[in-house]
């Protein structure tokens, strides 16, 4: 028995080290503003799982909203798509558009629990209240204009509302956190948000770090400096990498040159080392320019039929 339990413990240690969630970020709509329907999400989740040279490891999805695009508070069709494809979910509730919108997000979250039950709740690995809302209220973030953002005190209220909504449900034991840029965490005014989280998700892109050395040659160090800065501010909470990536096309950004060759280097250095370390990773992204032009474009796959077009670079680690 003793030998057996030692073996089991050793095996558990090994699997923990390589058991980080691996996935991509999935928006609710295509670039032409058309809502993704269930079949679209299923197609995307299946394409992620069958990416060449990844051993089918990309089985998780991060969402930004619980609401089906174009509706008030209908459950996003990514939920039944995840159930049909056995995809793990890092849920997101959009928190940059005020309390009334958060009420709709919470209504959709509750509806998903009652409509889909444990088939849904068993797939959930975490719940993020917000995405870059603290970044959005900074002088740099305001120029970005994707919603108004949220003050730290507002986010704390939203986190409490989500905790109250999942109490006594199948999601009660799931970690509740927040996603923001590493610069937002490196701002002591925002420490109260971290204090109210079970985990924090960090978004970090050396490509956008134009005031620092950010060529592909220093990108691994630039990324890990941002990641370590976040860990230093995390108050001991787990840090998940919720967005990172290197653009395949687009303008030069300080020293950062967008190219498939550089995206390959970034993947090999940053993504592969995070995977090896067992850090939860939601890469940005599988495809970002369907029915429109993203510039810069971070898509591993170009526009087109996701299960037909090939990755722009080799994904082997
Ligand atoms: C620091 O955080 C506060 C609250 O989120 C924000 O108002 C302020 O603009 C941030 N400071 C900087 C330099 O980004
Ligand atoms: C990137 O940096 C991390 C953290 O220091 C390290 O573990 C990893 O080996 C580095 N990757 C390369 C290719 O240098």
């Amino acid at each position: 028995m003793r030998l057996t339990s030692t073996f089991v413990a050793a095996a558990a240690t090994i699997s923990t080290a390589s058991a980080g969630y691996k996935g991509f970020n999935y928006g609710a709509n295509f670039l032409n503003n058309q809502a993704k329907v269930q079949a679209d999400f299923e197609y995307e989740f299946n394409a992620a799982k069958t990416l060449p040279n990844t051993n089918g490891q990309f089985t998780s999805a991060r969402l930004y909203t619980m609401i089906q695009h174009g509706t008030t508070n209908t459950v996003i069709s990514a939920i039944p798509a995840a159930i049909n494809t056995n995809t793990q979910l890092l849920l997101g509730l959009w928190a940059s558009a005020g309390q009334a919108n958060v009420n709709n997000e919470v209504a959709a979250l509750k509806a998903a629990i009652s409509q889909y039950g444990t088939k849904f709740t068993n797939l959930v690995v975490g719940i993020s209240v917000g995405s870059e809302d603290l970044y959005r209220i900074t002088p740099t973030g305001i120029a970005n204009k994707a919603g108004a953002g949220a003050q730290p005190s507002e986010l704390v209220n939203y986190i409490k509302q989500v905790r109250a909504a999942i109490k006594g449900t199948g999601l009660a034991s799931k970690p509740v956190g927040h996603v923001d840029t590493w610069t937002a965490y490196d701002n002591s005014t925002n420490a109260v948000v971290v204090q109210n989280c079970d985990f924090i998700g960090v978004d970090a892109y050396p490509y956008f770090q134009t005031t620092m050395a950010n060529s592909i040659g220093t990108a691994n160090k630039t990324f890990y400096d941002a990641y370590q800065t976040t860990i230093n501010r995390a108050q001991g909470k787990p840090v998940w990498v919720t967005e990172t990536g290197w653009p395949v096309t687009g303008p030069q950004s300080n020293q950062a040159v967008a190219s498939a060759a550089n995206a390959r280097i970034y993947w090999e250095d940053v993504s592969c080392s995070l995977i090896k370390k067992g850090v939860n990773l939601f890469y940005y992204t599988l495809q970002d320019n369907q029915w429109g032009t993203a510039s810069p474009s971070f898509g591993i796959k170009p526009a087109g039929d996701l299960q037909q077009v090939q990755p722009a670079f080799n994904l082997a680690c």
Side-chain angles (χ1 to χ4, degrees), residues 220-221 224 268-270 273 277:
N220 192 57
K221 182 181 184 313
Y224 272 98
E268 197 175 3
D269 290 0
V270 175
S273 62
K277 291 174 204 290

Side-chain angles (χ1 to χ4, degrees), residues 64-67 92-94 101-109:
Y64 294 91
T65 177
M66 287 304 302
I67 301 173
L93 288 84
W94 191 253
N101 190 66
V102 170
N103 292 345
N104 287 329
E105 290 281 356
V106 169
L109 177 67

Side-chain angles (χ1 to χ4, degrees), residues 3-286:
L3 268 178
T4 307
S5 54
T6 304
F7 173 76
V8 169
T13 307
I14 291 161
S15 68
T16 308
S18 59
Y21 306 122
K22 288 169 279 295
F24 300 104
N25 290 272
Y26 294 89
N29 55 283
F30 295 107
L31 271 193
N32 62 357
N33 203 35
Q34 185 183 317
K36 291 180 188 172
V37 298
Q38 183 178 335
D40 296 318
F41 283 114
E42 287 188 19
Y43 207 73
E44 293 184 333
F45 296 162
N46 284 326
K49 284 181 191 173
T50 52
L51 278 171
N53 300 337
T54 63
N55 303 317
Q57 292 183 94
F58 283 80
T59 58
S60 300
R62 173 181 171 231
L63 306 178
Y64 294 91
T65 177
M66 287 304 302
I67 301 173
Q68 176 67 12
H69 189 70
T71 73
T72 303
N73 57 18
T74 302
V75 178
I76 190 167
S77 55
I79 304 303
I83 292 168
N84 284 354
T85 57
N86 195 28
T87 300
Q88 292 165 311
L89 291 167
L90 169 53
L91 301 177
L93 288 84
W94 191 253
S96 274
Q99 179 69 65
N101 190 66
V102 170
N103 292 345
N104 287 329
E105 290 281 356
V106 169
L109 177 67
K110 286 174 147 174
I113 299 169
S114 57
Q115 276 174 42
Y116 299 107
T118 53
K119 280 184 183 156
F120 162 55
T121 57
N122 288 345
L123 290 171
V124 175
V125 298
I127 305 168
S128 176
V129 181
S131 173
E132 299 193 1
D133 318 280
L134 296 170
Y135 166 69
R136 225 162 265 132
I137 60 169
T138 63
T140 334
I142 285 161
N144 172 303
K145 285 199 175 72
Q151 296 293 329
S153 58
E154 292 176 304
L155 282 173
V156 169
N157 283 338
Y158 299 158
I159 290 166
K160 287 179 176 164
Q161 289 162 18
V162 169
R163 288 193 191 281
I166 63 174
K167 199 172 177 188
T169 76
L171 293 182
S173 65
K174 305 295 179 172
V176 177
H178 172 70
V179 168
D180 226 301
T181 59
W182 70 276
T183 48
Y185 294 119
D186 196 28
N187 175 339
S188 56
T189 311
N190 297 327
V192 64
V193 175
V194 176
Q195 200 182 321
N196 281 273
C197 287
D198 301 322
F199 73 97
I200 57 173
V202 65
D203 294 355
Y205 293 90
Y207 175 81
F208 291 122
Q209 292 180 228
T210 51
T211 61
M212 300 173 190
N214 73 339
S215 72
I216 190 61
T218 56
N220 192 57
K221 182 181 184 313
T222 307
F223 170 82
Y224 272 98
D225 284 352
Y227 176 64
Q228 187 58 49
T229 298
T230 307
I231 290 173
N232 295 346
R233 295 288 196 166
Q235 304 171 31
K237 317 273 169 94
V239 176
W240 301 14
V241 177
T242 38
E243 286 183 33
T244 196
W246 191 275
V248 169
T249 58
Q252 184 164 336
S253 171
N254 191 29
Q255 301 155 341
V257 175
S259 74
N262 287 347
R264 163 63 193 161
I265 293 169
Y266 193 81
W267 180 269
E268 197 175 3
D269 290 0
V270 175
S271 299
C272 294
S273 62
L274 288 170
I275 290 169
K276 199 173 165 197
K277 291 174 204 290
V279 176
N280 297 330
L281 168 65
F282 295 84
Y283 187 86
Y284 194 89
T285 199
L286 180 58

